[in-house]
Amino acid sequence: MSLRDVAIVGVYATEQGRSLPHRTSLDLAQEAVFGAIADAGLQPSDVDGVAADWPGPGGEPGEGASWARALGGPVSWVSDSLLDTSGARGVLKAASAIDAGLCDVAVVGGGMAGMFGPGASVGPGMEPCEFTDVWGGYVVPLFALVAAEHMHRFGTTPEQLAAVAATIRNNGSTNPEAVMFGKGPYTVEDILASPMLASPLHRLDVCLTGEGGAAVVLTSLERARDLPHVPVSILGGAMEAAGGAYVLPPSYSEVGRLGERAAGRAFRLAGIAPTDVDVLSLYDPNSFEIIRQLEVLGYCAEGEGGQYVADHSIGLDGPHPVNPDGGCLSYAWNGTQQMTLKVIECVRQLRGTAVHQVADPQITLAANAGSAAGHYEIAVLGKG
């Protein structure tokens, strides 16, 4: 077998919100996991591989094996790390476990509630970061350091960042599932007129915080062909890490090209070029990250990302639409499962069931994190 012999067969996204006081993290995680299993046409007892959040109560919080009782029996493979339970990283590791014969059906996902609400911001991580916390270095200014250096080096403009933000936010404003549904439409001028959070990032350049859940189910491509949906194969993927997330104040010199090596590996494994990808579902904690990722993914040369978004639409009518669902900027950011939502949008596009459906896509790409977060994961997906 290979990764190409593994397919995503089930997806599920819960409600997303700035704050979900009527929900718990376990409630959302269970809805997402059991929803994805049902979408796959399977039973919980069919799942023998788990990379999913277990927040508690019950079981052992943080330990994936706690899902065994809920699923109805022992499991054969678990992965407990926070980022292993979401997005491209979780999908690649679960697919590798299936490929290796360690399990037959795996679920990746989870949920979070009770952490955020209106006005909340995100710190560097769950544990204290001694070299960033002292300076007030929460996530936004850490990403802003990288953006500011890129602008200084290459002449990237605030208007180019704002064009990215307006495009993705406008996708979300017409997506009924998005937290920011009905907010907009936005113009470049609207983005630039919003308050500055950390130069060069305005408030509307930066994603929201929120709560919600998501999950995906994987199995062998052979088994997938007997299930209800068109299988979505994992054509290729890769990961790259520059160190622990948010441990040190970042610079463009250190992390500006983070993801370039991973992109090269992912495209080689998939046997495609960047231009073969029909839909890009990219991690967008802020507008600049899209510009940076378009460069490292190979859609333009280093330093030309700002001009690329000015010359080539990243909207639904462009050659490579970016985040048709509204991304983290408008659809949802919910702790870590927003990374799984990137995969879900790719699967929905390939199934032809997306809210903002692109015409007949054959290949999609989900990418997570980047620059100041210190890690980058890519999954290239195609119709099985």
Side-chain angles (χ1 to χ4, degrees):
M1 290 178 66
S2 71
L3 288 183
R4 284 178 173 267
D5 297 314
V6 180
I8 298 173
V9 294
V11 299
Y12 190 90
T14 72
E15 64 175 324
Q16 310 291 325
R18 292 296 302 276
S19 178
L20 300 176
H22 57 295
R23 307 297 298 268
T24 67
S25 294
L26 182 59
D27 170 33
L28 288 167
Q30 289 184 328
E31 180 188 341
V33 165
F34 292 126
I37 294 170
D39 181 67
L42 297 169
Q43 298 298 318
S45 57
D46 292 320
V47 176
D48 61 345
V50 177
D53 302 334
W54 183 266
E60 178 63 26
E63 187 171 321
S66 298
W67 280 97
R69 186 181 296 273
L71 293 170
V75 294
S76 303
W77 173 83
V78 295
S79 187
D80 300 324
S81 170
L82 180 66
L83 291 175
D84 283 2
T85 64
S86 59
R89 184 187 294 193
V91 164
L92 293 177
K93 291 194 173 184
S96 298
I98 294 170
D99 176 40
L102 300 179
C103 62
D104 297 315
V105 178
V107 63
V108 175
M112 184 186 72
M115 293 285 289
F116 296 105
S121 61
V122 180
M126 301 301 289
E127 299 297 328
C129 291
E130 60 184 321
F131 299 115
T132 55
D133 290 2
V134 66
W135 308 112
Y138 72 106
V139 166
V140 175
L142 295 179
F143 274 96
L145 288 171
V146 184
E149 187 172 345
H150 188 278
M151 296 174 79
H152 175 73
R153 287 192 184 196
F154 304 112
T156 310
T157 68
E159 290 76 14
Q160 291 165 344
L161 271 64
V164 172
T167 299
I168 296 175
R169 284 187 176 277
N170 287 342
N171 290 342
S173 73
T174 53
N175 176 3
E177 297 181 12
V179 174
M180 301 297 286
F181 174 61
K183 306 293 185 181
Y186 293 99
T187 65
V188 168
E189 291 72 25
D190 292 330
I191 307 300
L192 295 176
S194 64
M196 184 71 74
L197 293 186
S199 181
L201 301 177
H202 296 80
R203 184 170 65 190
L204 291 178
D205 281 307
V206 176
C207 81
L208 49 82
T209 59
E211 301 173 352
V216 300
V217 172
L218 302 90
T219 191
S220 68
L221 184 57
E222 180 180 9
R223 185 171 185 175
R225 293 191 173 116
D226 294 326
L227 297 175
H229 298 290
V230 174
V232 172
S233 295
I234 301 164
L235 304 182
M239 307 181 214
E240 187 175 346
Y246 311 117
V247 171
L248 294 169
S251 70
Y252 180 84
S253 302
E254 295 170 323
V255 298
R257 301 299 289 170
L258 183 66
E260 183 177 26
R261 291 172 58 192
R265 184 187 298 271
F267 288 132
R268 284 195 303 273
L269 288 173
I272 65 168
T275 52
D276 293 321
V277 177
D278 298 303
V279 180
L280 295 165
S281 194
L282 305 182
Y283 196 61
D284 54 330
N286 56 70
S287 55
F288 167 73
E289 260 300 288
I290 297 299
I291 289 174
R292 191 193 71 82
Q293 289 175 74
L294 290 170
E295 294 179 5
V296 301
L297 290 170
Y299 289 94
C300 56
E302 182 179 16
E304 296 180 2
Q307 195 59 48
Y308 178 90
V309 300
D311 294 343
H312 303 80
S313 172
I314 62 170
L316 300 174
D317 57 349
H320 308 287
V322 175
N323 298 352
D325 60 357
C328 297
L329 286 167
S330 187
Y331 174 28
W333 183 99
N334 53 32
T336 59
Q337 294 308 325
Q338 75 276 0
M339 301 185 190
T340 305
L341 292 174
K342 298 298 184 189
V343 176
I344 290 174
E345 175 64 11
C346 286
V347 172
R348 287 175 169 176
Q349 288 288 341
L350 292 169
R351 288 182 178 182
T353 61
V355 172
H356 295 310
Q357 182 62 50
V358 174
D360 194 29
Q362 300 298 308
I363 299 174
T364 60
L365 182 149
N368 296 150
S371 74
H375 62 91
Y376 199 66
E377 298 88 31
I378 300 171
V380 181
L381 308 177
K383 293 180 179 179

